[in-house]
């Protein structure tokens, strides 16, 4: 017998919104969370410089009871302020009382007879529930490269998403930072200010864009005019922002108009130069190259050393612009003009091994105190595969997906009844603003469960045919774009 109507895994934006959303419909719902508090990625990612790169008010819930009396202090808030926002959400929506913390879900299986899920945690708890909702985020499993000699390194090794809650003193330390995704860029900016030596290991250049931070206070708060309209618009754009691509192709503009458009997007800051640019940015090679060249010409001026400049901002576009996650930066390129910052191009001089005291490339050895692996995550499927999820035929979800991911709407999978996921594969996850996606997918799931209840149905799962159609649609869309060419451009 089910003890719960719904068990949600994960107490970030998606899980908490869904707790509120489903509880108010009368369902008996609980959240289990691996961490010891709410906050999702912000609970874990407490590294120096961690801040969101969706500008306010994009990155918040659309519920008036939450936004009406909440004031942000920065256009791009840092992790401490975001955690205070989670506290505020809890005060308004009474969330913590239905969350169980320090519970890592390790396995789950569906019982066809009782039509319920049994969900097991590492500390020995089992929950029986009619519906199983995975809202664990797309970045729950860390990617940690395996280096020869890693076990001999006597310094401190850190992955940013496990940043110790008591903090780490980087002052006067010799630091190696591997990875130049959004996390690596943010850490580099902070570490460069205080470290004795900072060596940044780059595998692929990040086409980082200026953040254009702004500050607000009680005297000049962020104006809340048009909030409702803003949240409405957020639901109808490509990336879940209230702004969208320019509604025309680049070629329909003269070169002068194109330049004006690029300049305007650039001045606005945020991710707009990327996700609010010409609508054919991801489809037309020339449009894509023009955007890169504009970024390159602006950015190259900021790095003095020609060798470093070419590694960071190559004269020839190394892969299509925007097909990898672009970071927002605040002075990232200038740090390479500092004497304490060194840059290593891993494409020409790969890391060979670690020693007791340092890190070695094919060209040079570096003595270090701290190794920071900002090497990202086993994105999207990693979060799912770390739980052993067994469906009706006894098949594991990881086995079903081992020869190719297959979902319906990126939210459910055939053979796994009454299971839904948010931020899953084959959904807008990688490009979508978190809270927008949490609400859009959450509301769809809520409507589906209400329909089931109203009609007296007890189980639901997609049929294989519907799943096949969805997979084909997603892969056709991907193939038509420049995204599969993300690594190299001929
Ligand atoms: P990421 O975007 O996956 O970047 C990982 C970096 O590590 C890349 O530069 C990658 O190089 C490099 N790397 C991976 N394996 C490596 C290896 N074996 N050797 C050398 N380099 C290696 O990870 P992230 O920066 O942690 O970001 C993860 C996600 O979190 C992002 O997609 C973003 O959505 C989110 N995020 C958001 C914010 C924000 O809102 N401000 C901040 C941080 C993160 P390659 O490019 O060559 O693979």
């Amino acid at each position: 017998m089910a003890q719960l109507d719904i068990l949600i895994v994960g107490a970030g934006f998606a899980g908490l919104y869904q707790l509120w959303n489903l509880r108010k419909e009368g369902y008996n719902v609980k959240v289990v969370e691996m961490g010891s508090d709410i906050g999702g990625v912000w609970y874990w990612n407490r590294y120096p410089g961690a801040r969101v790169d969706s500008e306010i008010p994009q990155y918040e819930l659309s519920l008036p009871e939450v936004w009406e009396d909440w004031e942000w202090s920065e256009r791009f808030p840092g992790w401490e302020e975001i955690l205070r926002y989670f506290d505020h959400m809890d005060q308004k929506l009474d969330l913590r009382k239905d969350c169980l913390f320090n519970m890592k879900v390790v396995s789950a299986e569906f019982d066809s007879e009782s039509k319920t899920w049994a969900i097991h945690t590492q500390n020995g708890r089992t929950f029986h529930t009619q519906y199983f909702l995975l809202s664990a985020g797309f970045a729950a499993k860390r990617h940690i490269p395996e280096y020869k000699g890693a076990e001999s390194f006597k310094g401190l090794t850190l992955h940013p998403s496990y940043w110790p809650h008591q903090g780490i003193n980087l002052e006067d330390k010799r630091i190696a930072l591997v990875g130049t995704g959004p996390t690596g860029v943010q850490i580099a900016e902070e570490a460069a200010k205080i470290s004795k030596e900072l060596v940044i290991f780059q595998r692929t250049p990040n086409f980082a864009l200026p953040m254009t931070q702004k500050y607000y206070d009680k005297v000049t708060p962020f104006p809340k005019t048009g909030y409702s309209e803003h949240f409405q618009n957020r639901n109808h754009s490509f990336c879940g922002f209230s702004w969208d691509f320019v509604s025309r192709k680049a070629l329909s503009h003269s070169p002068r108009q194109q330049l004006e458009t690029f300049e305007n997007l650039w001045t606005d800051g945020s991710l707009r130069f990327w996700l609010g640019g010409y609508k054919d940015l991801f489809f037309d090679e020339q449009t894509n190259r023009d955007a890169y060249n504009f970024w390159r010409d602006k950015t190259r001026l900021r790095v003095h050393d020609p060798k470093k400049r070419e590694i960071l901002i190559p004269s020839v576009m190394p892969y299509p612009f925007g097909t990898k996650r672009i970071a927002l930066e605040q002075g990232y390129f200038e740090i390479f003009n500092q004497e304490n910052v060194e840059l290593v191009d891993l494409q020409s001089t790969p890391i060979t091994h670690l020693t007791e005291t340092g890190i070695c490339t094919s060209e040079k050895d570096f003595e270090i105190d701290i190794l920071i692996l900002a090497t990202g995550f086993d994105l999207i499927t990693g979060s799912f595969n770390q739980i052993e999820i067994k469906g009706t035929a006894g098949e594991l979800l990881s086995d079903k997906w081992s020869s190719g991911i297959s979902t319906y709407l990126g939210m459910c999978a055939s053979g796994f009844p009454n299971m839904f996921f948010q931020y899953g594969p084959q959904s807008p996850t990688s490009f979508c603003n978190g809270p927008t996606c949490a609400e859009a997918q959450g509301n769809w799931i809520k409507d589906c469960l209400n329909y089931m209840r109203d009609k007296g149905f007890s189980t639901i799962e997609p049929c294989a045919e519907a799943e096949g159609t969805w997979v084909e649609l997603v892969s056709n869309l991907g193939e038509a774009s420049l995204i599969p060419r993300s690594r190299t451009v001929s």
Side-chain angles (χ1 to χ4, degrees):
M1 258 318 269
Q3 295 154 358
L4 290 169
D5 296 324
I6 302 146
L7 185 80
I8 299 173
V9 182
F13 266 113
L16 293 180
Y17 175 76
Q18 214 43 354
L19 168 62
W20 169 84
N21 206 17
L22 295 169
R23 204 175 51 187
K24 77 179 164 46
E25 297 294 315
Y27 295 105
N28 179 11
V29 44
K30 294 276 180 222
V31 171
V32 287
E33 162 61 49
M34 189 163 81
S36 58
D37 204 353
I38 57 175
V41 288
W42 302 104
Y43 171 86
W44 297 103
N45 285 264
R46 299 172 187 229
Y47 59 82
R51 65 182 60 253
V52 67
D53 49 20
S54 302
E55 74 276 24
I56 63 163
Q58 308 290 348
Y59 200 71
E60 57 183 294
L61 293 183
S62 68
L63 308 174
E65 61 265 53
V66 180
W67 62 255
E68 267 167 2
D69 61 352
W70 175 258
E71 304 291 344
W72 295 103
S73 72
E74 293 181 321
R75 186 184 188 206
F76 297 93
W79 65 267
E80 289 116 319
E81 186 166 15
I82 298 172
L83 285 182
R84 286 198 295 278
Y85 174 77
F86 272 87
D87 280 339
H88 173 74
M89 272 165 58
D90 175 49
Q91 275 166 29
K92 296 290 168 177
L93 308 178
D94 205 6
L95 301 167
R96 279 193 179 97
K97 75 162 190 211
D98 285 315
C99 295
L100 297 134
F101 298 111
N102 305 308
M103 298 254 178
K104 182 177 179 183
V105 172
V106 287
S107 63
E109 72 268 345
F110 186 75
D111 176 32
S112 300
E113 217 163 278
S114 62
K115 297 178 179 151
T116 56
W117 281 95
I119 297 160
H120 313 283
T121 67
Q122 198 169 40
N123 50 2
R125 287 282 300 268
T126 295
F127 297 88
H128 295 277
T129 176
Q130 186 181 359
Y131 295 103
F132 176 28
L133 177 51
L134 278 153
S135 310
F138 65 96
K141 188 171 178 215
R142 285 89 190 155
H143 168 57
I144 299 182
E146 286 174 15
Y147 295 122
K148 222 163 82 187
E151 67 295 338
S152 64
F153 178 56
K154 293 232 161 66
L156 187 60
T157 304
L158 294 163
H159 189 282
S161 66
Y162 279 130
W163 205 265
H165 288 197
Q166 71 276 17
I168 290 286
N169 183 8
L170 301 181
E171 210 169 330
D172 288 329
K173 299 288 189 307
R174 298 165 305 169
I175 301 168
L177 170 66
V178 185
T180 53
T183 304
V185 166
Q186 291 183 336
I187 293 176
E189 289 169 359
E190 294 306 311
K193 289 177 194 161
I194 51 174
S195 59
K196 186 172 177 192
E197 285 162 29
L198 172 65
V199 190
I200 297 173
F201 295 82
Q202 174 193 285
R203 189 164 73 178
T204 310
N206 191 306
F207 308 151
L209 292 166
M211 177 175 271
T212 323
Q213 177 68 292
K214 289 182 188 160
Y215 301 94
Y216 304 100
D217 56 27
K218 284 203 170 71
V219 184
T220 48
F222 182 78
K224 287 200 177 151
T225 43
Y227 251 48
S228 305
E229 195 190 354
H230 155 82
F231 290 123
Q232 268 306 315
N233 293 342
R234 215 169 63 159
N235 290 329
H236 302 289
S237 69
F238 177 71
C239 286
F241 293 117
S242 54
W243 42 263
D244 208 348
F245 290 117
V246 176
S247 62
R248 51 197 307 162
K249 293 182 176 178
L251 269 181
S252 70
H253 264 168
S254 68
R256 189 183 55 78
Q257 287 171 317
Q258 278 187 29
L259 198 60
E260 260 173 40
T261 305
F262 282 147
E263 286 289 356
N264 288 338
L265 293 167
W266 191 263
T267 307
D268 185 67
S270 78
L271 295 170
R272 212 160 178 155
F273 185 81
W274 174 32
L275 300 170
Y278 285 109
K279 71 171 187 182
D280 53 349
L281 178 83
F282 287 115
F283 297 93
D284 185 90
E285 280 188 40
Q286 190 56 50
T287 302
N288 190 280
R289 204 173 292 275
D290 288 344
Y292 178 79
N293 290 348
F294 184 92
W295 171 82
R296 176 198 64 194
D297 296 345
K298 287 271 189 201
T299 313
R300 279 175 78 92
L301 300 171
R302 297 167 57 187
V303 180
H304 302 159
D305 177 76
K307 200 169 155 222
K308 287 182 183 172
R309 189 190 302 142
E310 191 56 28
I311 297 168
L312 291 162
I313 313 145
S315 21
V316 177
M317 181 167 73
Y319 61 93
F321 184 78
T323 56
K324 269 178 177 286
R325 174 64 154 77
I326 286 183
L328 289 187
E329 54 84 21
Q330 308 184 76
Y332 176 64
F333 293 100
E334 282 78 4
I335 68 173
F336 296 96
N337 301 329
Q338 292 179 204
E339 276 186 3
N340 66 331
V341 179
E342 190 157 346
L343 174 65
V344 173
D345 177 14
L346 290 178
Q347 293 195 24
S348 55
T349 55
I351 294 167
T352 50
H353 63 286
L354 296 181
T355 64
E356 260 188 35
T357 53
I359 185 164
C360 309
T361 70
S362 55
E363 190 181 61
K364 190 172 169 184
D365 300 349
F366 299 89
E367 295 282 298
I368 56 166
D369 306 306
I370 302 177
L371 171 62
I372 303 176
L373 296 170
T375 42
F377 301 85
D378 179 357
L379 275 182
I380 307 185
T381 51
S383 308
F384 294 86
N385 290 345
Q386 59 186 356
I387 306 175
E388 203 180 79
I389 302 172
K390 217 178 260 178
T392 36
E395 187 189 23
L396 292 177
L397 187 65
S398 52
D399 286 343
K400 174 183 164 82
W401 285 355
S402 61
S403 54
I405 293 168
S406 180
T407 74
Y408 178 60
L409 303 179
M411 287 197 286
C412 43
S414 89
F416 296 82
N418 292 3
M419 181 179 95
F420 297 91
F421 33 88
Q422 296 181 275
Y423 297 160
Q426 296 173 347
S427 79
T429 305
S430 307
F431 286 100
C432 190
N433 178 41
T436 315
C437 205
E439 292 188 6
Q441 293 185 327
N443 291 339
W444 188 94
I445 293 166
K446 177 196 73 181
D447 290 346
C448 177
L449 300 197
N450 283 349
Y451 179 88
M452 297 284 293
R453 183 170 63 182
D454 294 348
K455 299 282 176 194
F457 296 135
S458 54
T459 58
I460 183 169
E461 67 175 294
C463 63
E465 194 188 344
E467 207 172 79
T469 310
W470 181 254
V471 173
E472 197 181 335
L473 175 72
V474 172
S475 83
N476 286 346
L477 282 171
E479 288 303 322
S481 76
L482 299 170
I483 292 170
R485 290 165 53 188
S486 158
R487 274 209 181 260
T488 48
V489 158
S490 52

